Amino acid sequence: VVVAKGFRAPAGICLDPSGKHILVADSLAESLTAVTAGVPGAEVDETPMPVETAVAFPDLQWEGWKGETDDGKPNPQRPIVLTHAGDGSNRVFVADEHGVVYVFPNDPKATKAKIFLDLRDRVVYDDKTNEEGFLGMAFHPKYKENGEIYVFYTTRKAQHTNVLSRFKVRKDDPDRADPASEKELLHVIRPYWFHDGGAVCFGPDGMLYLPLGDGGSANDPFDNGQNLNTLLGKILRIDVDHKGDGKPYAIPKDNPFVGRAGARPEIWAYGLRNVWRMSFDRKTGQFWAADVGQNLFEEIDLIHRGGNYGWNRREGLHPFGAQGTGPRKDFIEPIWEYDHDVGKCIIGGCVYRGDRLSELNGYYIYGDYVTARLWALRYDEAKGRVVANRPIADRGKAMFSFGEDEKGEVYLLSGSLDGKGIYGFVRKGS
């Protein structure tokens, strides 16, 4: 596609500092021309979104927690999951990375977050290894009937080991789960303490999906992303309602690698570095994942059955490392990427389907942990591309995760010493 013409002897090009123009040097004309950086007919709307973040529950007090230890040291709260039970109660559940799950009414005036489940006796977390800890939680689609909760955490029982477990709510108190009801479903041993993944979610099909990072260290040294004989660097899909082959879960018959020699049948998609986080669009069922990059690029992917997303041959839309390659038919490219001048650690979110902000409807809300920047991204299914990536004003706080309540409102989770790390989205200036 011709973007500009009429140059006599173009001698070199580069981006201007804003990244919005290409500068073209013409040696014969002795000129420097600015050309809009973009493909005609494939423009991306980057106008600021007229929304911002605001503390969602300003009066909330968290049972058993305070921002200072008994010996006067800071004790920051690290909310890592915000979700709902899908049972019509409209309650909000927030899990802390240390291993405590809280519950409270979905009311801006709520004053008390009660402990729903306390797993600090079995979850290991340390600020020096801060990709471990309590990492994921999801309520069974039939929670109202069976009371089942699924969690993913790093266990104290063994080094570098994550556990997927099922718990049940107490029959005598809907605001308390029973810590003694734990049933361990899956153990994952990693070579290093980072790249744990861990977002747990149920798909529209009722299956449980779980992303696992490549196991850590730089460059994926064991080539886990491309090795179908390991669960690392993958998204798994299992049936928690049945059992089979001696496992406390079953393998769905339509999983892409069922019956394939040398491949783990739990795998749904592979070639991923460290998905943080993933979600299903509650309206369309589209499966979104944000994959944290290494050297240069962060990416957003749409996950498809059996898809290979290229790591560690690709990082974003680019070759990576000694085995790096250009685009290949067997690799699924990300729908969006940004480089490390923009941000260095993507935090995946959710597609907004709430009622409060019509201007956000259908946008995927995500951000960056390092730069604390926020965006609303829109993907046009018919065009097969991103048509908007609009910045959202924020208060400059690094985010750990995103979540959504039973009504589809999206929240941002951030660390805090005052317990006010849960942010909602409001119209700017409201």
Side-chain angles (χ1 to χ4, degrees):
V1 177
V2 176
V3 176
K5 56 185 179 181
F7 300 103
R8 295 175 63 190
I13 62 172
C14 69
L15 284 174
D16 75 350
S18 73
K20 297 184 181 301
H21 297 89
I22 300 168
L23 303 180
V24 184
D26 191 318
S27 57
L28 285 181
E30 297 182 349
S31 64
L32 187 65
T33 303
V35 178
T36 299
V39 180
E43 292 81 7
V44 176
D45 180 4
E46 296 182 321
T47 58
M49 185 67 76
V51 299
E52 61 185 356
T53 59
V55 175
F57 306 99
D59 302 321
L60 208 56
Q61 300 296 314
W62 304 82
E63 181 183 356
W65 175 86
K66 56 182 180 179
E68 185 177 291
T69 63
D70 292 338
D71 55 356
K73 296 180 180 179
N75 181 35
Q77 193 178 48
R78 294 180 64 86
I80 205 77
V81 177
L82 184 150
T83 188
H84 60 90
D87 60 355
S89 68
N90 197 29
R91 292 173 295 170
V92 176
F93 296 80
V94 173
D96 185 278
E97 199 167 357
H98 294 90
V100 183
V101 182
Y102 300 89
V103 60
F104 54 90
N106 191 358
D107 182 346
K109 297 180 181 179
T111 58
K112 185 176 182 180
K114 298 189 294 184
I115 293 178
F116 177 73
L117 179 62
D118 189 345
L119 300 179
R120 284 175 291 185
D121 62 342
R122 61 202 83 176
V123 172
V124 62
Y125 173 80
D126 189 297
D127 284 337
K128 295 178 181 178
T129 54
N130 65 3
E131 292 186 34
E132 296 186 325
F134 190 106
L135 299 172
M137 177 178 71
F139 289 79
H140 193 282
K142 295 182 179 179
Y143 175 76
K144 193 171 183 178
E145 290 80 34
N146 62 28
E148 295 180 355
I149 310 107
Y150 292 80
V151 306
F152 186 79
Y153 65 89
T154 312
T155 180
R156 292 180 180 272
K157 296 179 181 179
Q159 189 178 35
H160 301 158
T161 301
N162 290 330
V163 179
L164 174 68
S165 288
R166 179 183 66 230
F167 290 85
K168 290 197 173 186
V169 70
R170 285 173 49 170
K171 293 181 180 180
D172 61 343
D173 188 348
D175 285 341
R176 297 282 182 183
D178 182 4
S181 66
E182 181 172 15
K183 172 65 177 177
E184 295 184 359
L185 303 182
L186 179 69
H187 283 73
V188 180
I189 300 173
R190 295 167 288 104
Y192 305 97
W193 62 265
F194 41 98
H195 298 184
D196 295 49
V200 183
C201 58
F202 282 90
D205 54 6
M207 299 296 121
L208 185 143
Y209 292 78
L210 172 67
L212 300 176
D214 64 8
S217 194
N219 307 314
D220 189 11
F222 301 105
D223 203 21
N224 288 327
Q226 294 298 313
N227 181 4
L228 290 173
N229 198 32
T230 176
L231 299 181
L232 298 176
K234 315 296 191 300
I235 292 176
L236 314 185
R237 177 180 182 252
I238 62 174
D239 178 356
V240 297
D241 293 328
H242 301 91
K243 300 177 182 179
D245 297 326
K247 300 174 181 177
Y249 59 85
I251 304 297
K253 293 180 180 179
D254 59 343
N255 271 13
F257 302 105
V258 170
R260 178 167 166 176
R264 293 291 299 267
E266 294 93 343
I267 297 170
W268 183 253
Y270 66 111
L272 296 153
R273 183 174 181 270
N274 188 30
V275 169
W276 189 269
R277 320 230 81 190
M278 66 183 198
S279 62
F280 288 89
D281 183 340
R282 60 170 59 195
K283 180 179 178 180
T284 68
Q286 188 73 264
F287 192 2
W288 293 77
D291 199 14
V292 179
Q294 180 173 302
N295 294 339
L296 294 171
F297 300 98
E298 308 296 307
E299 69 180 69
I300 296 174
D301 298 298
L302 295 180
I303 302 299
H304 300 281
R305 177 184 182 275
N308 182 351
Y309 290 83
W311 178 254
N312 65 357
R313 311 300 191 265
R314 304 276 286 165
E315 184 184 35
L317 295 162
H318 311 269
F320 178 87
Q323 300 183 74
T325 177
R328 288 180 7 192
K329 289 183 178 180
D330 56 329
F331 289 161
I332 297 178
E333 298 279 62
I335 62 166
W336 190 254
E337 68 167 16
Y338 62 85
D339 65 41
H340 283 188
D341 287 336
V342 176
K344 295 184 178 181
C345 180
I346 193 168
I347 305 293
C350 315
V351 175
Y352 182 87
R353 296 296 180 186
D355 295 326
R356 294 178 190 166
L357 299 168
S358 58
E359 50 268 73
L360 278 181
N361 185 48
Y363 280 88
Y364 176 72
I365 311 301
Y366 75 101
D368 188 89
Y369 173 76
V370 174
T371 60
R373 297 176 68 178
L374 282 170
W375 296 272
L377 178 143
R378 182 182 286 278
Y379 179 78
D380 188 310
E381 188 76 35
K383 295 180 179 179
R385 68 175 182 86
V386 169
V387 295
N389 188 56
R390 304 175 62 182
I392 296 175
D394 184 50
R395 286 162 173 75
K397 289 196 173 186
M399 66 219 69
F400 296 153
S401 188
F402 293 85
E404 60 180 337
D405 64 21
E406 195 162 357
K407 296 183 178 180
E409 298 298 330
V410 175
Y411 299 84
L412 178 155
L413 311 184
S414 180
S416 74
L417 290 170
D418 59 5
K420 298 179 182 180
I422 311 299
Y423 291 80
F425 292 87
V426 297
R427 288 189 175 88
K428 209 166 185 181
S430 62

